[in-house]
Amino acid sequence: MDAVTRLRRLLDDPRRLFVDDELPATTDLPRWLSPLPEWLENFGLNIAWVVVVINLVGTAFGFWYYGFQFSIEPAVMWPFVPDSPVATLFIALSLALWKLGRSNEYLNALAFFGCLKLGLWTPYVLLAFKSDFSYLHWAMYNFLFWSHLAMVVEAFLIQRYAKFPTLAIFVAVAWYGFNDVVDYFVPLVGTPHHTLIPAEPILDGVVQHVAPAHELAAAGAVVLTLTATFLAFATRVEKVERGGV
């Protein structure tokens, strides 16, 4: 069935948005590995193209949002600055390639890590430094908070069609592990390159990575990278044991 015909069927009977016709089989993973209800997984995958467009718009917005940080970071480090926009780009590409029948396991793993890690890290810092974010309009604060949590939901959609091979997980760990290193511990050029948080002042165009703000942000990032690694490997093991890969 082509995409246009399928879209017409979904629009003719919206209930089809919540069933798994022509979708990958449910994973039957333990709830702690696959927390989304089946109807929500089906809905997200049935409107995958809509999700792709939303994430591409979010990616564009994210690059705009990082505009000031780009201006104070060395150009050579720009690929490691816009963490959330890169994660939403990964998930957009992952879903798009799956819909086109050309799923890429490396993109799937990168998207899973990125959406899970940044989808939780941003709400974490918004809460941990809530008083420092008081300059944000309440609407922008809530948009950042809830839109990033939606990335976590997207991360768990990937489990329906991804196999998480070991090499793909290694690539994702290398990318996000290296990000943690240059963001918090060993900056290659200048100072650490993590996303700006208002608890750290900027003097003469240089971010002052003060304690305990820097340590709190770093702890959240490292814990979430380790969490994503564990969940990806655990998902791989469960799928192999169930004969799904």
Side-chain angles (χ1 to χ4, degrees), residues 57-119:
V57 172
T59 298
F61 171 81
F63 278 106
W64 170 82
Y65 188 86
Y66 275 88
F68 173 73
Q69 188 165 352
F70 282 133
S71 71
I72 63 172
E73 291 279 2
V76 69
M77 298 308 298
W78 284 2
F80 306 100
V81 170
D83 295 329
S84 292
V86 170
T88 53
L89 180 60
F90 284 154
I91 186 65
L93 294 174
S94 171
L95 284 167
L97 288 176
W98 166 70
K99 288 294 290 181
L100 294 171
R102 302 176 63 183
S103 187
N104 183 285
E105 294 295 345
Y106 297 99
L107 267 176
N108 296 341
L110 287 166
F112 178 77
F113 271 67
C115 285
L116 184 65
K117 177 181 178 178
L118 280 309

Short mmCIF file of all heavy atoms in Angstrom, two decimals, residues 57-119:
data_model
loop_
_atom_site.label_atom_id
_atom_site.label_comp_id
_atom_site.label_asym_id
_atom_site.label_seq_id
_atom_site.Cartn_x
_atom_site.Cartn_y
_atom_site.Cartn_z
N VAL A 57 11.31 21.02 12.17
CA VAL A 57 11.02 22.40 12.61
C VAL A 57 11.71 22.66 13.94
O VAL A 57 12.30 23.73 14.15
CB VAL A 57 9.50 22.62 12.72
CG1 VAL A 57 9.20 23.98 13.35
CG2 VAL A 57 8.84 22.52 11.35
N GLY A 58 11.64 21.68 14.84
CA GLY A 58 12.32 21.84 16.13
C GLY A 58 13.82 21.97 15.99
O GLY A 58 14.46 22.71 16.73
N THR A 59 14.38 21.26 15.02
CA THR A 59 15.82 21.36 14.76
C THR A 59 16.18 22.78 14.32
O THR A 59 17.15 23.37 14.82
CB THR A 59 16.24 20.35 13.69
OG1 THR A 59 15.99 19.03 14.17
CG2 THR A 59 17.73 20.49 13.36
N ALA A 60 15.39 23.32 13.41
CA ALA A 60 15.64 24.69 12.94
C ALA A 60 15.52 25.69 14.09
O ALA A 60 16.36 26.59 14.24
CB ALA A 60 14.66 25.04 11.81
N PHE A 61 14.47 25.52 14.91
CA PHE A 61 14.30 26.40 16.07
C PHE A 61 15.49 26.27 17.02
O PHE A 61 15.99 27.25 17.57
CB PHE A 61 13.00 26.06 16.81
CG PHE A 61 12.87 26.77 18.13
CD1 PHE A 61 12.43 28.08 18.19
CD2 PHE A 61 13.19 26.13 19.33
CE1 PHE A 61 12.32 28.75 19.40
CE2 PHE A 61 13.08 26.78 20.55
CZ PHE A 61 12.64 28.09 20.58
N GLY A 62 15.94 25.03 17.22
CA GLY A 62 17.05 24.80 18.14
C GLY A 62 18.33 25.47 17.70
O GLY A 62 19.05 26.06 18.51
N PHE A 63 18.63 25.40 16.39
CA PHE A 63 19.83 26.07 15.90
C PHE A 63 19.71 27.58 16.10
O PHE A 63 20.69 28.25 16.41
CB PHE A 63 20.08 25.72 14.44
CG PHE A 63 20.77 24.40 14.26
CD1 PHE A 63 20.08 23.28 13.80
CD2 PHE A 63 22.12 24.25 14.56
CE1 PHE A 63 20.72 22.06 13.64
CE2 PHE A 63 22.78 23.03 14.40
CZ PHE A 63 22.07 21.93 13.95
N TRP A 64 18.49 28.12 15.91
CA TRP A 64 18.29 29.55 16.17
C TRP A 64 18.50 29.84 17.66
O TRP A 64 19.14 30.83 18.02
CB TRP A 64 16.87 29.95 15.76
CG TRP A 64 16.49 31.33 16.20
CD1 TRP A 64 16.80 32.51 15.58
CD2 TRP A 64 15.78 31.67 17.41
NE1 TRP A 64 16.31 33.57 16.33
CE2 TRP A 64 15.69 33.08 17.45
CE3 TRP A 64 15.21 30.93 18.44
CZ2 TRP A 64 15.04 33.76 18.47
CZ3 TRP A 64 14.56 31.60 19.48
CH2 TRP A 64 14.49 33.00 19.48
N TYR A 65 17.97 28.98 18.52
CA TYR A 65 18.07 29.18 19.97
C TYR A 65 19.53 29.21 20.42
O TYR A 65 19.87 29.91 21.37
CB TYR A 65 17.31 28.06 20.67
CG TYR A 65 17.17 28.23 22.16
CD1 TYR A 65 16.13 28.97 22.71
CD2 TYR A 65 18.08 27.63 23.05
CE1 TYR A 65 15.99 29.12 24.08
CE2 TYR A 65 17.95 27.78 24.42
CZ TYR A 65 16.90 28.52 24.93
OH TYR A 65 16.78 28.66 26.29
N TYR A 66 20.37 28.43 19.75
CA TYR A 66 21.79 28.37 20.11
C TYR A 66 22.61 29.48 19.46
O TYR A 66 23.83 29.48 19.56
CB TYR A 66 22.38 27.01 19.71
CG TYR A 66 22.18 25.92 20.73
CD1 TYR A 66 21.03 25.12 20.71
CD2 TYR A 66 23.13 25.65 21.71
CE1 TYR A 66 20.84 24.11 21.63
CE2 TYR A 66 22.95 24.64 22.63
CZ TYR A 66 21.79 23.87 22.59
OH TYR A 66 21.61 22.87 23.50
N GLY A 67 21.95 30.40 18.79
CA GLY A 67 22.67 31.44 18.05
C GLY A 67 23.70 32.18 18.87
O GLY A 67 24.84 32.39 18.43
N PHE A 68 23.32 32.59 20.09
CA PHE A 68 24.27 33.34 20.92
C PHE A 68 25.46 32.47 21.30
O PHE A 68 26.61 32.93 21.26
CB PHE A 68 23.59 33.86 22.18
CG PHE A 68 24.56 34.50 23.14
CD1 PHE A 68 25.12 35.74 22.87
CD2 PHE A 68 24.95 33.85 24.32
CE1 PHE A 68 26.04 36.33 23.73
CE2 PHE A 68 25.87 34.42 25.19
CZ PHE A 68 26.40 35.66 24.90
N GLN A 69 25.21 31.20 21.66
CA GLN A 69 26.33 30.35 22.05
C GLN A 69 27.28 30.11 20.89
O GLN A 69 28.50 30.03 21.08
CB GLN A 69 25.84 29.02 22.63
CG GLN A 69 26.98 28.18 23.23
CD GLN A 69 26.51 27.05 24.11
OE1 GLN A 69 25.32 26.94 24.41
NE2 GLN A 69 27.43 26.21 24.53
N PHE A 70 26.74 29.99 19.68
CA PHE A 70 27.61 29.87 18.51
C PHE A 70 28.56 31.07 18.42
O PHE A 70 29.71 30.93 18.02
CB PHE A 70 26.78 29.78 17.22
CG PHE A 70 26.18 28.42 16.96
CD1 PHE A 70 24.86 28.30 16.60
CD2 PHE A 70 26.94 27.26 17.08
CE1 PHE A 70 24.29 27.05 16.35
CE2 PHE A 70 26.40 26.01 16.83
CZ PHE A 70 25.07 25.91 16.47
N SER A 71 28.05 32.24 18.79
CA SER A 71 28.83 33.46 18.65
C SER A 71 30.01 33.53 19.61
O SER A 71 30.97 34.28 19.37
CB SER A 71 27.95 34.70 18.83
OG SER A 71 27.56 34.85 20.20
N ILE A 72 29.96 32.76 20.71
CA ILE A 72 31.05 32.83 21.69
C ILE A 72 31.88 31.55 21.71
O ILE A 72 32.84 31.46 22.49
CB ILE A 72 30.52 33.13 23.10
CG1 ILE A 72 29.61 32.01 23.61
CG2 ILE A 72 29.81 34.47 23.15
CD1 ILE A 72 29.20 32.15 25.07
N GLU A 73 31.50 30.56 20.92
CA GLU A 73 32.26 29.30 20.87
C GLU A 73 33.17 29.30 19.64
O GLU A 73 32.83 29.82 18.59
CB GLU A 73 31.30 28.10 20.77
CG GLU A 73 30.48 27.86 22.02
CD GLU A 73 31.26 27.12 23.09
OE1 GLU A 73 32.44 26.81 22.88
OE2 GLU A 73 30.66 26.85 24.15
N PRO A 74 34.35 28.67 19.74
CA PRO A 74 35.21 28.51 18.56
C PRO A 74 34.47 27.73 17.48
O PRO A 74 33.80 26.73 17.78
CB PRO A 74 36.40 27.72 19.11
CG PRO A 74 36.38 27.94 20.59
CD PRO A 74 34.94 28.08 20.96
N ALA A 75 34.59 28.15 16.24
CA ALA A 75 33.84 27.52 15.15
C ALA A 75 34.13 26.03 15.05
O ALA A 75 33.25 25.23 14.69
CB ALA A 75 34.15 28.21 13.83
N VAL A 76 35.35 25.62 15.38
CA VAL A 76 35.72 24.21 15.27
C VAL A 76 34.89 23.33 16.21
O VAL A 76 34.73 22.13 15.98
CB VAL A 76 37.23 24.02 15.54
CG1 VAL A 76 37.57 24.28 17.00
CG2 VAL A 76 37.68 22.63 15.11
N MET A 77 34.34 23.93 17.27
CA MET A 77 33.56 23.16 18.23
C MET A 77 32.05 23.25 17.99
O MET A 77 31.28 22.64 18.75
CB MET A 77 33.88 23.63 19.66
CG MET A 77 35.33 23.44 20.07
SD MET A 77 35.93 21.74 19.81
CE MET A 77 34.86 20.81 20.89
N TRP A 78 31.62 23.95 16.98
CA TRP A 78 30.19 24.10 16.72
C TRP A 78 29.44 22.78 16.59
O TRP A 78 28.30 22.68 17.05
CB TRP A 78 29.98 24.96 15.47
CG TRP A 78 30.19 26.42 15.71
CD1 TRP A 78 30.58 27.02 16.88
CD2 TRP A 78 30.03 27.47 14.76
NE1 TRP A 78 30.69 28.38 16.72
CE2 TRP A 78 30.35 28.68 15.43
CE3 TRP A 78 29.66 27.51 13.42
CZ2 TRP A 78 30.29 29.91 14.78
CZ3 TRP A 78 29.59 28.74 12.77
CH2 TRP A 78 29.90 29.94 13.44
N PRO A 79 30.02 21.73 15.99
CA PRO A 79 29.26 20.46 15.90
C PRO A 79 28.87 19.88 17.26
O PRO A 79 27.94 19.08 17.34
CB PRO A 79 30.23 19.53 15.16
CG PRO A 79 31.11 20.43 14.37
CD PRO A 79 31.30 21.64 15.25
N PHE A 80 29.58 20.30 18.33
CA PHE A 80 29.32 19.73 19.65
C PHE A 80 28.49 20.65 20.54
O PHE A 80 28.27 20.34 21.71
CB PHE A 80 30.65 19.42 20.35
CG PHE A 80 31.56 18.55 19.52
CD1 PHE A 80 32.61 19.10 18.80
CD2 PHE A 80 31.33 17.18 19.41
CE1 PHE A 80 33.44 18.31 18.02
CE2 PHE A 80 32.15 16.39 18.63
CZ PHE A 80 33.20 16.95 17.93
N VAL A 81 28.02 21.76 19.97
CA VAL A 81 27.27 22.74 20.77
C VAL A 81 25.77 22.47 20.78
O VAL A 81 25.17 22.35 21.85
CB VAL A 81 27.59 24.17 20.28
CG1 VAL A 81 26.64 25.18 20.93
CG2 VAL A 81 29.03 24.53 20.59
N PRO A 82 25.10 22.35 19.63
CA PRO A 82 23.63 22.28 19.63
C PRO A 82 23.12 20.85 19.90
O PRO A 82 22.63 20.16 19.00
CB PRO A 82 23.27 22.75 18.22
CG PRO A 82 24.41 22.26 17.38
CD PRO A 82 25.64 22.35 18.26
N ASP A 83 23.22 20.41 21.14
CA ASP A 83 22.92 19.02 21.47
C ASP A 83 21.48 18.61 21.13
O ASP A 83 21.24 17.60 20.47
CB ASP A 83 23.19 18.76 22.94
CG ASP A 83 24.67 18.90 23.29
OD1 ASP A 83 25.50 18.63 22.42
OD2 ASP A 83 24.98 19.28 24.43
N SER A 84 20.51 19.37 21.62
CA SER A 84 19.11 18.99 21.38
C SER A 84 18.72 19.07 19.90
O SER A 84 18.05 18.16 19.40
CB SER A 84 18.18 19.87 22.23
OG SER A 84 18.34 19.58 23.60
N PRO A 85 19.10 20.12 19.17
CA PRO A 85 18.76 20.15 17.74
C PRO A 85 19.36 18.98 16.96
O PRO A 85 18.73 18.47 16.03
CB PRO A 85 19.33 21.49 17.27
CG PRO A 85 19.39 22.33 18.48
CD PRO A 85 19.69 21.39 19.60
N VAL A 86 20.56 18.56 17.33
CA VAL A 86 21.17 17.41 16.65
C VAL A 86 20.38 16.15 16.98
O VAL A 86 20.15 15.29 16.11
CB VAL A 86 22.65 17.26 17.06
CG1 VAL A 86 23.21 15.95 16.55
CG2 VAL A 86 23.47 18.42 16.48
N ALA A 87 19.91 16.03 18.23
CA ALA A 87 19.12 14.85 18.61
C ALA A 87 17.80 14.80 17.85
O ALA A 87 17.38 13.74 17.39
CB ALA A 87 18.86 14.86 20.11
N THR A 88 17.13 15.94 17.69
CA THR A 88 15.87 15.96 16.95
C THR A 88 16.11 15.70 15.46
O THR A 88 15.26 15.12 14.77
CB THR A 88 15.11 17.28 17.14
OG1 THR A 88 15.95 18.39 16.82
CG2 THR A 88 14.62 17.41 18.58
N LEU A 89 17.27 16.10 14.95
CA LEU A 89 17.62 15.78 13.57
C LEU A 89 17.83 14.27 13.43
O LEU A 89 17.37 13.66 12.45
CB LEU A 89 18.88 16.54 13.15
CG LEU A 89 19.37 16.29 11.72
CD1 LEU A 89 18.31 16.67 10.69
CD2 LEU A 89 20.67 17.05 11.46
N PHE A 90 18.52 13.67 14.40
CA PHE A 90 18.72 12.22 14.37
C PHE A 90 17.39 11.46 14.34
O PHE A 90 17.21 10.53 13.56
CB PHE A 90 19.53 11.77 15.59
CG PHE A 90 21.01 12.06 15.52
CD1 PHE A 90 21.75 12.22 16.69
CD2 PHE A 90 21.67 12.15 14.30
CE1 PHE A 90 23.12 12.47 16.64
CE2 PHE A 90 23.04 12.39 14.25
CZ PHE A 90 23.76 12.56 15.42
N ILE A 91 16.44 11.86 15.19
CA ILE A 91 15.17 11.12 15.24
C ILE A 91 14.37 11.36 13.96
O ILE A 91 13.70 10.44 13.46
CB ILE A 91 14.35 11.50 16.49
CG1 ILE A 91 13.09 10.63 16.60
CG2 ILE A 91 13.96 12.95 16.50
CD1 ILE A 91 13.33 9.17 16.83
N ALA A 92 14.44 12.56 13.41
CA ALA A 92 13.74 12.82 12.14
C ALA A 92 14.29 11.92 11.04
O ALA A 92 13.52 11.32 10.26
CB ALA A 92 13.87 14.29 11.76
N LEU A 93 15.61 11.82 10.95
CA LEU A 93 16.23 10.98 9.92
C LEU A 93 15.96 9.50 10.18
O LEU A 93 15.71 8.74 9.24
CB LEU A 93 17.73 11.25 9.88
CG LEU A 93 18.16 12.64 9.42
CD1 LEU A 93 19.67 12.81 9.56
CD2 LEU A 93 17.74 12.88 7.97
N SER A 94 15.98 9.10 11.44
CA SER A 94 15.72 7.70 11.78
C SER A 94 14.32 7.29 11.35
O SER A 94 14.13 6.26 10.69
CB SER A 94 15.88 7.50 13.30
OG SER A 94 15.44 6.22 13.70
N LEU A 95 13.33 8.10 11.69
CA LEU A 95 11.94 7.78 11.33
C LEU A 95 11.73 7.85 9.82
O LEU A 95 11.03 7.01 9.24
CB LEU A 95 10.99 8.74 12.04
CG LEU A 95 10.75 8.47 13.53
CD1 LEU A 95 10.05 9.65 14.18
CD2 LEU A 95 9.94 7.20 13.73
N ALA A 96 12.34 8.85 9.19
CA ALA A 96 12.17 9.00 7.74
C ALA A 96 12.74 7.80 6.99
O ALA A 96 12.09 7.26 6.07
CB ALA A 96 12.82 10.29 7.26
N LEU A 97 13.93 7.36 7.37
CA LEU A 97 14.53 6.21 6.70
C LEU A 97 13.73 4.94 6.97
O LEU A 97 13.58 4.09 6.08
CB LEU A 97 15.98 6.04 7.14
CG LEU A 97 16.96 7.08 6.60
CD1 LEU A 97 18.35 6.87 7.19
CD2 LEU A 97 17.02 7.03 5.08
N TRP A 98 13.21 4.79 8.18
CA TRP A 98 12.36 3.63 8.45
C TRP A 98 11.12 3.64 7.57
O TRP A 98 10.76 2.61 6.98
CB TRP A 98 11.96 3.61 9.93
CG TRP A 98 10.84 2.66 10.19
CD1 TRP A 98 10.89 1.30 10.14
CD2 TRP A 98 9.49 3.00 10.52
NE1 TRP A 98 9.65 0.76 10.42
CE2 TRP A 98 8.78 1.78 10.65
CE3 TRP A 98 8.82 4.20 10.73
CZ2 TRP A 98 7.42 1.74 10.98
CZ3 TRP A 98 7.47 4.17 11.05
CH2 TRP A 98 6.79 2.95 11.16
N LYS A 99 10.49 4.81 7.43
CA LYS A 99 9.29 4.90 6.59
C LYS A 99 9.62 4.61 5.13
O LYS A 99 8.76 4.11 4.39
CB LYS A 99 8.67 6.29 6.72
CG LYS A 99 7.97 6.55 8.04
CD LYS A 99 6.74 5.67 8.20
CE LYS A 99 5.61 6.06 7.27
NZ LYS A 99 4.41 5.22 7.45
N LEU A 100 10.83 4.91 4.72
CA LEU A 100 11.24 4.67 3.34
C LEU A 100 11.76 3.26 3.13
O LEU A 100 12.20 2.91 2.03
CB LEU A 100 12.30 5.69 2.92
CG LEU A 100 11.83 7.16 2.84
CD1 LEU A 100 13.03 8.08 2.64
CD2 LEU A 100 10.81 7.34 1.72
N GLY A 101 11.74 2.46 4.17
CA GLY A 101 12.22 1.09 4.06
C GLY A 101 13.72 0.97 4.03
O GLY A 101 14.26 -0.04 3.54
N ARG A 102 14.42 1.98 4.55
CA ARG A 102 15.89 1.99 4.51
C ARG A 102 16.46 2.28 5.90
O ARG A 102 17.40 3.05 6.06
CB ARG A 102 16.38 3.02 3.49
CG ARG A 102 15.86 2.79 2.09
CD ARG A 102 16.29 3.89 1.15
NE ARG A 102 17.74 3.95 1.00
CZ ARG A 102 18.38 4.87 0.28
NH1 ARG A 102 17.68 5.82 -0.34
NH2 ARG A 102 19.69 4.85 0.19
N SER A 103 15.87 1.66 6.90
CA SER A 103 16.26 1.92 8.28
C SER A 103 17.77 1.76 8.47
O SER A 103 18.38 0.82 7.97
CB SER A 103 15.52 0.97 9.22
OG SER A 103 15.77 1.31 10.57
N ASN A 104 18.36 2.69 9.21
CA ASN A 104 19.79 2.70 9.45
C ASN A 104 20.05 2.54 10.94
O ASN A 104 19.64 3.38 11.75
CB ASN A 104 20.41 4.01 8.95
CG ASN A 104 21.91 4.05 9.11
OD1 ASN A 104 22.42 4.22 10.21
ND2 ASN A 104 22.62 3.91 8.01
N GLU A 105 20.72 1.45 11.32
CA GLU A 105 20.89 1.15 12.74
C GLU A 105 21.77 2.16 13.47
O GLU A 105 21.59 2.40 14.67
CB GLU A 105 21.45 -0.26 12.92
CG GLU A 105 20.49 -1.37 12.48
CD GLU A 105 19.22 -1.44 13.33
OE1 GLU A 105 19.19 -0.84 14.42
OE2 GLU A 105 18.26 -2.09 12.89
N TYR A 106 22.71 2.77 12.77
CA TYR A 106 23.56 3.77 13.41
C TYR A 106 22.74 5.02 13.77
O TYR A 106 22.85 5.55 14.88
CB TYR A 106 24.73 4.15 12.51
CG TYR A 106 25.65 2.98 12.24
CD1 TYR A 106 25.56 2.24 11.06
CD2 TYR A 106 26.59 2.58 13.19
CE1 TYR A 106 26.39 1.15 10.82
CE2 TYR A 106 27.43 1.49 12.97
CZ TYR A 106 27.31 0.78 11.79
OH TYR A 106 28.12 -0.31 11.57
N LEU A 107 21.90 5.46 12.83
CA LEU A 107 21.02 6.59 13.12
C LEU A 107 20.02 6.25 14.21
O LEU A 107 19.70 7.08 15.06
CB LEU A 107 20.29 7.02 11.85
CG LEU A 107 20.93 8.11 11.01
CD1 LEU A 107 20.13 8.35 9.74
CD2 LEU A 107 21.04 9.41 11.81
N ASN A 108 19.51 5.02 14.18
CA ASN A 108 18.55 4.61 15.20
C ASN A 108 19.17 4.71 16.60
O ASN A 108 18.54 5.21 17.54
CB ASN A 108 18.09 3.18 14.95
CG ASN A 108 17.32 3.02 13.64
OD1 ASN A 108 16.83 4.01 13.08
ND2 ASN A 108 17.23 1.81 13.15
N ALA A 109 20.39 4.21 16.73
CA ALA A 109 21.05 4.25 18.03
C ALA A 109 21.36 5.69 18.45
O ALA A 109 21.15 6.07 19.61
CB ALA A 109 22.34 3.42 18.00
N LEU A 110 21.85 6.50 17.52
CA LEU A 110 22.14 7.90 17.83
C LEU A 110 20.87 8.64 18.24
O LEU A 110 20.88 9.47 19.17
CB LEU A 110 22.79 8.58 16.63
CG LEU A 110 24.24 8.19 16.34
CD1 LEU A 110 24.64 8.65 14.94
CD2 LEU A 110 25.18 8.79 17.39
N ALA A 111 19.76 8.36 17.54
CA ALA A 111 18.50 9.01 17.86
C ALA A 111 17.99 8.58 19.23
O ALA A 111 17.50 9.41 20.02
CB ALA A 111 17.46 8.69 16.78
N PHE A 112 18.12 7.29 19.53
CA PHE A 112 17.67 6.80 20.84
C PHE A 112 18.47 7.47 21.95
O PHE A 112 17.90 7.99 22.92
CB PHE A 112 17.84 5.28 20.91
CG PHE A 112 17.45 4.69 22.23
CD1 PHE A 112 16.12 4.51 22.56
CD2 PHE A 112 18.43 4.32 23.16
CE1 PHE A 112 15.76 3.97 23.80
CE2 PHE A 112 18.08 3.78 24.39
CZ PHE A 112 16.74 3.61 24.71
N PHE A 113 19.79 7.46 21.83
CA PHE A 113 20.64 8.09 22.85
C PHE A 113 20.33 9.58 22.97
O PHE A 113 20.17 10.11 24.08
CB PHE A 113 22.12 7.92 22.49
CG PHE A 113 22.74 6.66 23.01
CD1 PHE A 113 22.34 5.42 22.54
CD2 PHE A 113 23.74 6.70 23.97
CE1 PHE A 113 22.93 4.25 23.01
CE2 PHE A 113 24.33 5.54 24.45
CZ PHE A 113 23.92 4.31 23.96
N GLY A 114 20.26 10.27 21.83
CA GLY A 114 20.07 11.71 21.85
C GLY A 114 18.75 12.13 22.44
O GLY A 114 18.68 13.04 23.29
N CYS A 115 17.66 11.47 22.00
CA CYS A 115 16.34 11.87 22.50
C CYS A 115 16.17 11.52 23.97
O CYS A 115 15.55 12.28 24.72
CB CYS A 115 15.26 11.20 21.65
SG CYS A 115 15.06 11.96 20.02
N LEU A 116 16.71 10.38 24.38
CA LEU A 116 16.61 10.01 25.79
C LEU A 116 17.46 10.93 26.66
O LEU A 116 16.98 11.48 27.67
CB LEU A 116 17.04 8.56 25.97
CG LEU A 116 16.89 7.99 27.39
CD1 LEU A 116 15.42 7.92 27.78
CD2 LEU A 116 17.52 6.60 27.48
N LYS A 117 18.70 11.13 26.26
CA LYS A 117 19.61 11.93 27.07
C LYS A 117 19.20 13.39 27.14
O LYS A 117 19.01 13.95 28.23
CB LYS A 117 21.03 11.82 26.52
CG LYS A 117 22.04 12.69 27.27
CD LYS A 117 23.44 12.56 26.67
CE LYS A 117 24.41 13.47 27.40
NZ LYS A 117 25.78 13.33 26.88
N LEU A 118 19.03 14.03 25.98
CA LEU A 118 18.71 15.46 25.98
C LEU A 118 17.27 15.70 26.38
O LEU A 118 16.93 16.76 26.94
CB LEU A 118 18.99 16.07 24.61
CG LEU A 118 20.46 16.41 24.31
CD1 LEU A 118 21.08 17.24 25.43
CD2 LEU A 118 21.29 15.18 24.05
N GLY A 119 16.40 14.71 26.11
CA GLY A 119 15.01 14.85 26.51
C GLY A 119 14.84 14.87 28.01
O GLY A 119 13.86 15.43 28.53
#
